[in-house]
Amino acid sequence: MTLHTSVLSNIFLSALFTMALGACDQKPGDLGELTDGDEALCGDGVVDPTEQCDDGNAVDGDGCDNTCQLSDDEEPAACGDGQLDPGEQCDDGNGQDGDGCTANCTLEGQALCGDGIVDPTEQCDDGNAVDGDGCTTTCHLEGQGACGDGILDPGEQCDDGNGQDGDGCTANCTLEGQALCGDGIVQPGEQCDDGNAIDGDACRNTCVAAICGDGVVHQGFEECDDGNAIDGDGCATTCKLEGQGACGDGVLDPGEQCDDGNAIDGDGCTANCTLEGQGLCGDGIVQPQNGEQCDDGNAIDGDGCRNNCATATCGDGVVHQGFEECDDGNAIDGDGCAPTCKLEGQGACGDGVLDPGEECDDGNGQDGDGCTANCTLEGQGLCGDGVVQPGEQCDDGNNIGGDGCSATCTLGG
């Protein structure tokens, strides 16, 4: 054999060996192709990017067909299989939210009812379009009996599943545009409309403003309402209870000059039931032009303002509590009541009577006016006047020893 023939023989043998190796690397379903083992092959048991499945064989009917694709007859349509099936808005082949397509195959970011995300305008969102499971197809809660759930409950005129006015059904589930009392809108012919059917709250359930005499007790401004304008039957024409003897009940009781059924001044009858504008003492208005010094709105003596509207003074014959011990209406000493309206004969400092043991008594309890509050002369340097003068160690206002300050005004005596 020549050298040339030997070389050709070796090349031929090498080629056959290479072909044999390639054939050994093939898998079922390769259809006789020769590969180098790196190509994406259907049936190799590896799901490549272009494949939906790969079960390692070329058999149909086992869930993955011989082209490595899932089919309708192979497996039911499911969200997340990467195929847009009927009823799906999207299918990105995964079960993740936040990538534009939710895990239940609805589009994200579009505030769609049924996308599984509760948006600001929704009460709920369970990701489906089924009623009766707690969340309606309009994304409102069911079974709550609430206005806005899209279900017409007892007492509702309508329910369009939202909380908006202006679309024919108000936010409180009453029909719009029909002048219905209780829809919260004051329509022609209505005096008021507070959006409810409650009597007694200033707007009646007939949308007529609450007034005294309509037979309904309106809280906050009526005590009673018997539906008539007759006094003496327990409820006055001002809707105040009668028989209470109180000023402001609209009934003229003994001791009242007037009673207009309110507690307002300036309307002719004061809040304490005295006539205004007539210069009457006790009407609570000080009218100097009529000779009044004060007017406390009552007819009581002894409270600072007399029942004749004169300021209380010592000597007016009335004992004024808090600043007079007595008042005999004169300025005479020795008759039991001093001119300062202090009781006499009690031996008390400050009664205006110079009793034994007192250096002075000016009828008051003040220092600095020449006679101290303990009835000793001031400015005389006298031991016992209650004022520590030069040369005194103490002065407790008396001449008694043994109380810490001696009778000579030295300490310890």
Side-chain angles (χ1 to χ4, degrees):
M1 182 181 294
T2 65
L3 176 62
H4 178 69
T5 302
S6 176
V7 170
L8 289 174
S9 177
N10 288 336
I11 293 173
F12 179 71
L13 290 172
S14 296
L16 288 175
F17 182 70
T18 301
M19 291 175 65
L21 289 175
C24 292
D25 198 31
Q26 285 180 293
K27 301 288 188 301
D30 287 353
L31 305 179
E33 293 185 64
L34 295 179
T35 72
D36 60 4
D38 295 329
E39 296 181 17
L41 296 175
C42 176
D44 61 6
V46 180
V47 179
D48 297 298
T50 59
E51 298 173 339
Q52 293 181 352
C53 60
D54 197 319
D55 56 3
N57 62 55
V59 180
D60 284 331
D62 61 356
C64 186
D65 66 17
N66 60 8
T67 61
C68 291
Q69 299 294 311
L70 295 169
S71 60
D72 291 341
D73 59 351
E74 298 294 333
E75 186 174 308
C79 175
D81 62 7
Q83 297 187 71
L84 188 61
D85 299 302
E88 295 178 339
Q89 296 175 353
C90 59
D91 195 319
D92 56 3
N94 63 54
Q96 298 176 343
D97 290 326
D99 56 1
C101 186
T102 67
N104 58 14
C105 292
T106 56
L107 291 170
E108 293 178 314
Q110 302 194 26
L112 295 174
C113 177
D115 60 6
I117 300 173
V118 180
D119 298 297
T121 59
E122 298 174 337
Q123 294 179 353
C124 60
D125 196 317
D126 56 4
N128 63 51
V130 181
D131 284 327
D133 58 357
C135 187
T136 68
T137 55
T138 59
C139 290
H140 284 79
L141 292 171
E142 292 178 313
Q144 311 293 314
C147 176
D149 61 6
I151 300 174
L152 188 63
D153 298 300
E156 295 178 340
Q157 296 174 354
C158 59
D159 196 319
D160 56 3
N162 63 53
Q164 298 175 342
D165 290 326
D167 56 0
C169 186
T170 68
N172 59 12
C173 291
T174 55
L175 291 170
E176 291 178 315
Q178 303 194 27
L180 293 175
C181 179
D183 61 6
I185 302 172
V186 180
Q187 307 279 0
E190 296 179 338
Q191 295 178 357
C192 58
D193 197 318
D194 55 5
N196 62 52
I198 301 172
D199 267 348
D201 61 353
C203 186
R204 297 198 59 186
N205 59 6
T206 57
C207 289
V208 174
I211 57 173
C212 176
D214 59 13
V216 178
V217 178
H218 302 285
Q219 302 302 318
F221 59 96
E222 292 182 338
E223 294 178 0
C224 60
D225 196 318
D226 56 4
N228 62 51
I230 302 172
D231 285 327
D233 58 358
C235 186
T237 54
T238 58
C239 290
K240 300 286 186 180
L241 289 172
E242 295 177 314
Q244 311 296 311
C247 176
D249 63 3
V251 179
L252 188 62
D253 297 301
E256 295 179 340
Q257 296 175 353
C258 59
D259 195 319
D260 57 3
N262 63 53
I264 303 172
D265 288 327
D267 58 358
C269 186
T270 68
N272 58 14
C273 293
T274 56
L275 291 170
E276 292 177 316
Q278 303 193 26
L280 294 176
C281 176
D283 62 5
I285 302 172
V286 178
Q287 303 186 58
Q289 69 273 20
N290 295 319
E292 295 182 342
Q293 298 175 345
C294 59
D295 196 318
D296 55 5
N298 62 52
I300 301 172
D301 269 346
D303 60 356
C305 185
R306 297 195 59 186
N307 59 6
N308 58 6
C309 289
T311 304
T313 60
C314 177
D316 60 12
V318 178
V319 178
H320 302 286
Q321 302 302 318
F323 61 96
E324 293 182 337
E325 295 177 358
C326 61
D327 195 318
D328 56 4
N330 62 53
I332 302 172
D333 283 326
D335 58 358
C337 186
T340 58
C341 291
K342 299 286 185 180
L343 289 171
E344 295 177 314
Q346 308 295 314
C349 176
D351 62 3
V353 179
L354 187 62
D355 298 301
E358 295 178 341
E359 296 175 358
C360 59
D361 194 320
D362 55 3
N364 62 55
Q366 297 175 341
D367 290 326
D369 57 358
C371 185
T372 67
N374 58 14
C375 293
T376 56
L377 291 170
E378 291 178 316
Q380 316 248 339
L382 296 175
C383 177
D385 61 5
V387 180
V388 179
Q389 307 280 357
E392 295 177 338
Q393 295 178 349
C394 60
D395 196 318
D396 57 3
N398 62 56
N399 295 311
I400 301 172
D403 57 0
C405 186
S406 71
T408 58
C409 291
T410 57
L411 291 171

